[in-house]
Amino acid sequence: MLCLGISGGLDRIFESSPELPNTFLHDGAAVLVRDGRVIAAVEEERLNRVKHSNKFPSNAIRYCLSSAGVELGDIDRIAFYATEAYCNAMLEQQFVSRPVELNAKLLARHLLAQVFGTDVDASRVSFVNHHEAHAASAFAMSGFEQSLIFAVDGGGDFCSGLLAVGSGTEITQLASFPESDSLGLFYLETIRYLGYGLFDEYKVMGLAPYGDPAPYRELFAQFYELLDNGGYRLHLDRIGPALIRNIEIRRKGMPFTQQHRDVSATLQEALERIIFHILRHHREATGMARLCLAGGVAHNCTVNGKLLYSGLFEDIFVQPAAHDAGCALGAALMMSNELGQPAPRERQREVYWGPDLGTEQAVEHELNAWSGHLDIRRSDDIAASAADWMANGAVIGWVQGRSEFGPRALGNRSILADPRPAENKNRINAMVKKREGYRPFAPSVLEEDASEFFELPGGKREFPFMNFVVRVREAHHSVLGAVTHVDGTARLQTVSRNSNPAYWDVINAFKKRTGIPVLLNTSFNNNAEPIVDSVADAIVTFLTTDLDGLVVGPFLVSKRAAALQDWCTLSVSLPPYASLHRVRSHVAEDRQETVCEIRTGHSGGDGVRISHELFELLMRIEGEASLGDLLDTTMLDQAKREDLVKELRFVWEQRRVRLHPPRAACGHNKVKSET
């Protein structure tokens, strides 16, 4: 029995985004389940390279089908992550701005037929309740026979969350929360005045420990009420006026003041107070000793850690893909259960469900295609070689096996470094992430050594998904300087030899050299892109950041000093979400000029100004073109060509263009062997 769950948008990558509420249609994904077991899952953003993709997950579906060796016609049920009524209502909102198909099922079937050339019978396409899908994604993978379930996010299906009890294969709803009381929107509405927006919530969670909630506690008390029987009420309309009167509003890019830190701390405290109020009541009312969490708010690892330390529940399972991509998982599991194949009662211990690197020969071929830019060595003990690099101060990209499903890099698509020097945090924030210096990095520790370095609540040993913030033992605060946050905590990942032997090996090799069984682990991407997935993605990110080294499979990769002629061997193309524009624009109150831009058609995209010369160069591309051939058409001298390539590389770093070897490139760079 094959069931496919999908989340995401209702248009294709090259089409204009629907004008829909920004809490709907994002985090596109596909998950394929066979007889209740996940066999493949990937977020669309990993493949189309658009963060939080709000596009139809055609690439993700294609991967899932290929992974199972089946075609779309072989799938027994396809399930979308929201009800048909809700999707139709959203489409009706869009109709005002442009004509669209107002029947979501017909639109979904039409898209599937367009992409896969297969007509899908209406009886095989289902729509499920958004928050029920969240709930199923957590409970079905928790291994619990019974538990309380709390699914909470910004919104979906006309509400913002639900409480339920899971028992066996059944989930019984206890309560739901209207969008007017959305805890996700409570957080989002507040952080707007801190210079942040949708998908930035985790940044404020990291800022909160730098603040004191006391100065604004009374102000925030106006924004919510705690009611009897675990109820609460929000007053979202009060947030903006109150903050405008009481703090200096921060715009994006402005420095943080202590006011902003204190507001972050107060917001986090208020969220925790409301969640504890809800869960204390329902823990007592239901007698459930275990808890499952899902929905975007469940990515608040600080709340999760405090719940675990509180002892309110004996055990807590947080769906590692708690955001809307996890609804694709829940939708597939719901359909499988409906067709008589429920998920087995087993605890989820890993999420390596995405595309594999391929064969060693394929990896070597991909690396060799960049022969003018990379130096490549093969190691017979890649863990030892990588550990040597890091012990000597290198920050590396680490790419192995199948990619992770969800928002965390868990050792297969990671940036790794020595966790001891405190300056490594600032260094990586500046050299790779190009982000705020306060933001913490996570430690990955050998599971068997975790309790020596971290205070593990309730005697728990396994924290495989970075879902909980835990306390670093005080004696190790200075030892783990790069991964211990300002409040003495860390977002922990424990690494099991059974679940990920390659990652366990490299941490263990680092332990042999340093005595420390811990590595700094952050996602392998820069600030303009999702986490890398393929070898090609890894090479591009390596070449457009200041990483010291790259490890892919058994290969150690360093950068070469590429000359203009090396860049000229590459091909240039525009991503399908990018478009070129030349417009008249005001550059001063009384003066207009013709300006050139690359714009992105996906949600949240904005224009990047480019020179007229680069605009003309890119306009000549049909599909893809050799950079050398393009430059030959310009009749520019050597210096101007180098300037143009420099500008092109900057735009490449922003992922507005693609630079890559010609499609038929063959590697000629002989790989050295290292034993």
Side-chain angles (χ1 to χ4, degrees), residues 69 185 221 533 630:
L185 294 183
D533 199 87
L630 288 173

Side-chain angles (χ1 to χ4, degrees), residues 541-601:
T541 303
F542 178 52
L543 289 173
T544 53
T545 61
D546 292 327
L547 284 172
D548 300 308
L550 172 64
V551 178
V552 186
F555 299 104
L556 298 163
V557 183
S558 303
K559 295 170 188 170
R560 288 185 170 182
L564 177 62
Q565 64 204 44
D566 297 311
W567 293 104
C568 287
T569 65
L570 300 178
S571 290
V572 189
S573 60
L574 283 176
Y577 53 78
S579 57
L580 296 167
H581 299 262
R582 180 155 52 194
V583 297
R584 293 291 288 176
S585 178
H586 276 89
V587 294
E589 185 176 352
D590 59 350
R591 187 162 60 90
Q592 285 186 329
E593 287 184 1
T594 299
V595 298
C596 301
E597 292 182 341
I598 300 181
R599 298 178 187 170
T600 54

Side-chain angles (χ1 to χ4, degrees), residues 64-283:
C64 287
L65 297 176
S66 174
S67 181
V70 299
E71 297 181 354
L72 192 65
D74 300 319
I75 303 299
D76 296 287
R77 193 73 66 84
I78 301 167
F80 195 67
Y81 76 139
T83 61
E84 194 169 358
Y86 184 66
C87 293
N88 287 342
M90 295 299 102
L91 290 171
E92 286 172 8
Q93 288 185 29
Q94 186 191 351
F95 184 77
V96 176
S97 60
R98 66 180 177 123
V100 293
E101 170 60 63
L102 296 182
N103 183 296
K105 181 173 281 193
L106 283 175
L107 180 56
R109 292 172 61 209
H110 176 67
L111 280 167
L112 289 167
Q114 273 189 318
V115 175
F116 297 98
T118 302
D119 288 328
V120 179
D121 190 85
S123 64
R124 292 169 52 214
V125 178
S126 299
F127 290 75
V128 303
N129 181 277
H130 181 83
H131 292 99
E132 288 178 12
H134 272 313
S137 74
F139 181 62
M141 306 299 283
S142 68
F144 298 152
E145 284 296 331
Q146 288 187 317
S147 83
L148 187 66
I149 307 167
F150 189 31
V152 56
D153 60 12
D157 275 321
F158 310 109
C159 67
S160 64
L162 63 77
L163 268 161
V165 167
S167 181
T169 61
E170 300 300 317
I171 293 175
T172 304
Q173 184 172 312
L174 301 176
S176 64
F177 306 99
E179 287 186 333
S180 58
D181 290 328
S182 167
L183 292 178
L185 294 183
F186 174 51
Y187 217 88
L188 183 59
E189 178 63 18
T190 304
I191 70 174
R192 285 178 53 207
Y193 300 93
L194 301 176
Y196 287 123
L198 186 64
F199 309 127
D200 291 332
E201 294 88 343
Y202 65 100
K203 301 176 184 178
V204 179
M205 184 182 73
L207 182 63
Y210 290 88
D212 176 4
Y216 297 105
R217 188 175 288 136
E218 188 174 334
L219 181 69
F220 269 72
Q222 303 172 29
F223 304 158
Y224 66 95
E225 300 173 60
L226 301 182
L227 308 176
D228 294 338
N229 301 318
Y232 71 96
R233 182 178 296 120
L234 296 179
H235 302 287
L236 300 177
D237 58 325
R238 298 178 182 177
I239 294 172
L243 291 178
I244 288 170
R245 288 193 304 268
N246 286 275
I247 70 168
E248 178 188 358
I249 304 305
R250 176 182 178 267
R251 305 300 176 193
K252 186 176 181 180
M254 289 174 57
F256 291 97
T257 67
Q258 192 57 43
Q259 275 189 337
H260 304 135
R261 300 182 187 99
D262 292 345
V263 168
S264 300
T266 318
L267 172 62
Q268 180 67 29
E269 180 185 75
L271 180 72
E272 293 168 8
R273 190 176 179 215
I274 296 168
I275 289 176
F276 268 85
H277 173 74
I278 297 166
L279 293 177
R280 279 196 186 99
H281 170 79
H282 289 280
R283 165 70 173 91

Side-chain angles (χ1 to χ4, degrees), residues 305-464:
K306 290 183 177 180
L307 281 169
L308 205 54
Y309 278 112
S310 74
L312 189 59
F313 296 92
E314 293 175 9
D315 199 1
I316 300 174
F317 176 77
V318 182
Q319 171 50 242
H323 57 312
D324 278 5
C327 284
L329 170 62
L333 293 171
M334 288 172 71
M335 289 300 100
S336 190
N337 187 40
E338 184 178 295
L339 295 176
Q341 295 290 342
R345 295 288 106 188
E346 298 172 356
R347 183 71 162 236
Q348 181 180 351
R349 301 192 185 280
E350 52 96 358
V351 287
Y352 306 110
W353 298 332
D356 202 345
L357 290 185
T359 65
E360 183 177 320
Q361 291 75 17
V363 172
E364 183 177 347
H365 184 276
E366 188 81 43
L367 292 168
N368 281 338
W370 292 84
S371 58
H373 302 259
L374 302 175
D375 182 70
I376 308 153
R377 290 175 291 154
R378 190 188 185 286
S379 173
D380 291 334
D381 189 346
I382 198 66
S385 299
D388 284 339
W389 265 2
M390 290 183 286
N392 289 317
V395 178
I396 67 170
W398 172 264
V399 181
Q400 304 290 332
R402 294 179 72 175
S403 62
E404 306 91 336
F405 180 64
R408 313 291 188 205
L410 299 170
N412 280 13
R413 303 292 187 274
S414 292
I415 290 171
L416 305 178
D418 189 334
R420 296 171 297 173
E423 61 269 19
N424 267 358
K425 185 178 83 163
N426 292 332
R427 183 177 172 220
I428 297 170
N429 273 326
M431 71 190 274
V432 183
K433 299 294 190 170
K434 296 179 172 59
R435 66 185 199 179
E436 304 90 342
Y438 71 80
R439 297 201 6 223
F441 292 110
S444 294
V445 60
L446 299 181
E447 185 179 278
E448 50 269 46
D449 293 321
S451 61
E452 178 185 346
F453 291 84
F454 304 93
E455 297 179 20
L456 304 184
K460 300 288 185 292
R461 294 182 64 249
E462 298 178 19
F463 296 84

Side-chain angles (χ1 to χ4, degrees), residues 491-537:
R491 180 165 48 87
L492 179 65
Q493 178 196 9
T494 57
V495 180
S496 161
R497 192 171 197 171
N498 292 329
S499 297
N500 195 333
Y503 194 33
W504 189 96
D505 283 345
V506 74
I507 301 174
N508 191 51
F510 186 80
K511 176 186 177 182
K512 289 177 180 178
R513 285 151 181 77
T514 65
I516 303 297
V518 183
L519 287 176
L520 179 156
N521 175 14
T522 189
S523 56
F524 192 176
N525 60 302
N526 72 5
N527 63 321
E529 65 180 345
I531 303 173
V532 306
D533 199 87
S534 66
V535 178
D537 297 336

Side-chain angles (χ1 to χ4, degrees), residues 577-638:
Y577 53 78
S579 57
L580 296 167
H581 299 262
R582 180 155 52 194
V583 297
R584 293 291 288 176
S585 178
H586 276 89
V587 294
E589 185 176 352
D590 59 350
R591 187 162 60 90
Q592 285 186 329
E593 287 184 1
T594 299
V595 298
C596 301
E597 292 182 341
I598 300 181
R599 298 178 187 170
T600 54
H602 57 81
S603 179
D606 54 357
V608 169
R609 291 277 176 92
I610 59 174
S611 68
H612 291 274
E613 292 80 9
L614 182 56
F615 180 88
E616 293 294 342
L617 190 85
L618 297 175
M619 282 292 289
R620 296 189 180 98
I621 298 173
E622 296 287 342
E624 69 174 71
S626 161
L627 178 55
D629 291 347
L630 288 173
L631 288 173
D632 286 343
T633 67
T634 65
M635 307 301 290
L636 296 174
D637 62 27
Q638 178 84 0

